[in-house]
Amino acid sequence: MKISVIGTGYVGLIQSVGLSKLGFEVTGIDIDERKIKKLNSGISTLHEEQLEEELKLFINENLKFTSSYESINDSNIVFLCVGTPQDDFGNADLKFLYSAVESVKKYIGDKPKTVVIKSTVPVGTCRKIKEILKDYPVEVISNPEFLREGIAFKDFFEPERIVLGVENPENIETINLLKRVYNHFEKKGVPFVISSWETSELIKYASNAFLATKISFINEISKFSDIVGADIKTVGKAMGMDDRIGPKFLNAGIGYGGSCFPKDVKALGKQFESFELESKLINATESINQTQTTWFFENKIKKYYGDVSGKTFAVLGLAFKPFTDDLRESKAIELINILLKNGAIVKGFDYIEKARENTINKYTLSDSKSLGYSLHILDELNDTLFNVDGIIIATEYDFDKENWSELKNLVNNPVIFDGKNVMDSKTLKSLGYTYFGIGKN
Ligand code: UDX
């Protein structure tokens, strides 16, 4: 069976390499010739665990990449994995998706095809795509992904469910075609959820919005915990012992970032609005997240120094989460901007070199150039901490493993603001540090 995958971003590249590892003949398609060239020479264009070594195994064997859509002609199945970024109003921007659909139309030929929508799309999009392709021998299936950045390849091979949205759940032939693609998982007992298009599209948004709501919920509780002197880590731990709540996604901090949660929560809220439905909880999840970093700056950092102008801070962690190079909606970057706008000098560090590079580029190439004059990105933690007036943890790396007894001799003022509640405050205090967490003492 020949499979085309349109889009070689965070979803498409994982889908192409994953399917080739499952033994299918896969052609990845992207308009970006530079990416195509790199991928065909076995170089991954993403910072993803395992991906490059797997890519090298299958490239020019049963996996190739091209900028030509003609390969669709030979394929039985076409996965659409193009980006659906947020537009200026918070809606999902579908221009890349519809452009890919037009290309499919052009090269579809007369053999029946199954077009699989893996991109995260507003509810009702599959129905619109079917309408566009109504004169062609095409079945449209919704098959949302639940991949976490940085470990997406692992998530591809360890799905907790496979969701297939179809026009007609009685259409066994189409469903069985996708079950053949995902047979490896069916044999492992991974449950399939067969539904309508709209149900499948909503499962994706509702799943992400709920995870984001869990984070905003614990972040809201953390501010109260802060005031009443409760310990938010213990609150979260004890809550999670109830299997109806579950222990994950209850880590309070300066909020969630990334290319998914912020975008998907906003887009779901906009979908409610388009049906004149108020989305109180979804809007609350978003507004809590939008204010959490500022709250941390005002109530922890500024409260301690009064005025941060001229003070130098080490900001540890730059990407939106550990072990990625992705700065999209990173709360660390948001916090750096707040510090710089308040006249502080910032020394930034991240264990991932590409995250450091991306930060340097961000402040030299974009409109934040003027802010960038007071920002210095260092390659070593020691250099970052040298002579600073305060230390800020902004990404949830396990910074605890560093030797804080030794590092204390480098700093001007041993004060730690733990924006992700990941540090062992008891040990730090015993070493002579002043420690501030969020709802954590
Ligand atoms: C998320 C979903 O987890 C994934 O299922 C979906 O397919 C894509 O979006 P990702 O964006 O890669 O994945 O990141 P994730 O690991 O979920 O973390 C998102 C953000 O939430 C990060 O900024 C992280 O720091 C923050 N977070 C996570 C918290 O603040 N608290 C938590 O308890 C967990």
Side-chain angles (χ1 to χ4, degrees):
M1 187 191 308
K2 290 187 177 176
I3 299 178
S4 293
V5 177
I6 300 178
T8 60
Y10 281 94
V11 177
L13 185 53
I14 298 293
Q15 187 73 1
S16 299
V17 180
L19 290 176
S20 57
K21 186 174 176 73
L22 290 175
F24 296 101
E25 194 177 334
V26 180
T27 304
I29 300 170
D30 199 298
I31 50 174
D32 184 336
E33 289 281 0
R34 284 172 312 122
K35 265 192 191 178
I36 297 299
K37 197 157 171 277
K38 270 185 158 181
L39 292 169
N40 280 331
S41 47
I43 299 168
S44 168
T45 49
L46 294 181
H47 187 93
E48 280 288 338
E49 242 173 56
Q50 269 181 281
L51 186 62
E52 187 149 290
E53 53 263 42
E54 297 287 349
L55 172 66
K56 288 184 189 319
L57 289 178
F58 304 106
I59 198 69
N60 304 324
E61 297 295 326
N62 56 321
L63 171 64
K64 66 177 185 295
F65 293 90
T66 173
S67 55
S68 154
Y69 277 85
E70 277 179 55
S71 58
I72 288 174
N73 211 308
D74 304 337
S75 301
N76 316 67
I77 299 182
V78 182
F79 281 90
L80 293 194
C81 303
V82 292
T84 54
Q86 189 181 300
D87 70 12
D88 296 342
F89 308 100
N91 302 297
D93 184 344
L94 302 181
K95 63 173 176 286
F96 301 114
L97 183 76
Y98 286 125
S99 156
V101 171
E102 287 308 313
S103 304
V104 168
K105 248 166 89 172
K106 212 165 141 196
Y107 293 102
I108 207 149
D110 49 9
K111 281 190 297 183
K113 293 244 181 315
T114 299
V115 172
V116 186
I117 310 302
K118 187 162 271 295
S119 304
T120 301
V121 293
V123 179
T125 303
C126 287
R127 198 166 294 278
K128 286 180 187 150
I129 291 172
K130 174 67 180 177
E131 181 56 26
I132 295 170
L133 297 171
K134 67 179 182 306
D135 300 331
Y136 297 83
V138 168
E139 289 294 336
V140 174
I141 290 200
S142 165
N143 174 219
E145 48 80 22
F146 302 96
L147 306 175
R148 288 166 297 173
E149 212 171 304
I151 48 171
F153 201 72
K154 178 178 174 293
D155 282 351
F156 177 90
F157 280 96
E158 295 168 14
E160 291 176 278
R161 73 291 205 200
I162 291 176
V163 177
L164 297 176
V166 292
E167 183 172 20
N168 167 8
E170 277 67 61
N171 179 345
I172 298 300
E173 195 187 326
T174 304
I175 293 168
N176 285 345
L177 179 65
L178 261 289
K179 284 199 164 184
R180 266 175 51 208
V181 173
Y182 293 132
N183 181 252
H184 166 84
F185 302 109
E186 191 165 33
K187 284 193 292 192
K188 279 172 63 176
V190 175
F192 281 71
V193 176
I194 310 296
S195 73
S196 70
W197 286 325
E198 283 75 14
T199 305
S200 171
E201 290 162 334
L202 184 51
I203 287 167
K204 171 65 185 175
Y205 274 106
S207 300
N208 265 12
F210 181 74
L211 289 168
T213 301
K214 255 189 121 174
I215 295 167
S216 282
F217 177 81
I218 201 69
N219 283 343
E220 175 134 293
I221 297 294
S222 73
K223 289 183 274 196
F224 181 67
S225 171
D226 213 62
I227 292 170
V228 297
D231 177 53
I232 194 64
K233 299 278 283 187
T234 308
V235 169
K237 191 167 163 228
M239 283 172 66
M241 290 170 179
D242 180 330
D243 66 6
R244 294 168 302 172
I245 298 173
K248 294 181 179 168
F249 281 64
L250 287 174
N251 303 322
I254 52 177
Y256 59 77
S259 65
C260 295
F261 284 166
K263 166 176 81 76
D264 292 351
V265 169
K266 279 193 192 71
L268 185 57
K270 286 292 179 188
Q271 292 173 63
F272 270 63
E273 265 176 49
S274 67
F275 290 93
E276 282 150 36
L277 208 52
E278 204 190 348
S279 55
K280 289 194 182 77
L281 190 56
I282 292 163
N283 293 341
T285 292
E286 186 186 337
S287 63
I288 291 165
N289 196 57
Q290 281 178 343
T291 54
Q292 188 75 359
T293 304
T294 304
W295 181 89
F296 180 69
F297 171 74
E298 295 292 340
N299 292 277
K300 301 291 175 179
I301 303 171
K302 194 165 180 197
K303 191 173 173 188
Y304 178 81
Y305 293 96
D307 177 7
V308 298
S309 178
K311 295 267 187 267
T312 302
F313 293 91
V315 173
L316 306 188
L318 301 170
F320 84 94
K321 74 178 202 182
F323 306 110
T324 70
D325 59 2
D326 195 345
L327 305 181
R328 287 177 292 181
E329 306 282 327
S330 165
K331 287 300 191 178
I333 298 295
E334 183 181 330
L335 185 50
I336 285 173
N337 287 333
I338 294 171
L339 288 162
L340 295 173
K341 284 173 186 159
N342 281 273
I345 295 150
V346 174
K347 299 170 77 178
F349 171 79
D350 195 295
Y351 287 115
I352 301 295
E353 182 183 5
K354 194 76 174 61
R356 302 197 298 270
E357 263 175 45
N358 291 343
T359 306
I360 292 167
N361 292 338
K362 179 180 180 64
Y363 283 92
T364 44
L365 300 177
S366 69
D367 54 7
S368 339
K369 198 179 291 188
S370 56
L371 281 178
Y373 296 135
S374 308
L375 172 65
H376 312 279
I377 303 302
L378 291 306
D379 290 338
E380 300 298 332
L381 180 63
N382 291 29
D383 298 340
T384 312
L385 292 172
F386 182 67
N387 219 17
V388 296
D389 301 308
I391 302 161
I392 299 167
I393 308 294
T395 301
E396 62 272 34
Y397 279 109
D398 178 15
F399 285 112
D400 242 0
K401 68 180 188 302
E402 301 291 350
N403 183 334
W404 290 97
S405 167
E406 262 182 36
L407 293 171
K408 185 165 171 278
N409 303 322
L410 296 170
V411 302
N412 218 3
N413 183 2
V415 186
I416 291 190
F417 300 91
D418 187 358
K420 289 286 184 179
N421 282 349
V422 288
M423 303 297 279
D424 174 352
S425 54
K426 199 157 162 260
T427 304
L428 289 170
K429 286 174 187 169
S430 70
L431 294 174
Y433 286 89
T434 304
Y435 174 89
F436 297 98
I438 303 186
K440 174 177 178 263
N441 311 311

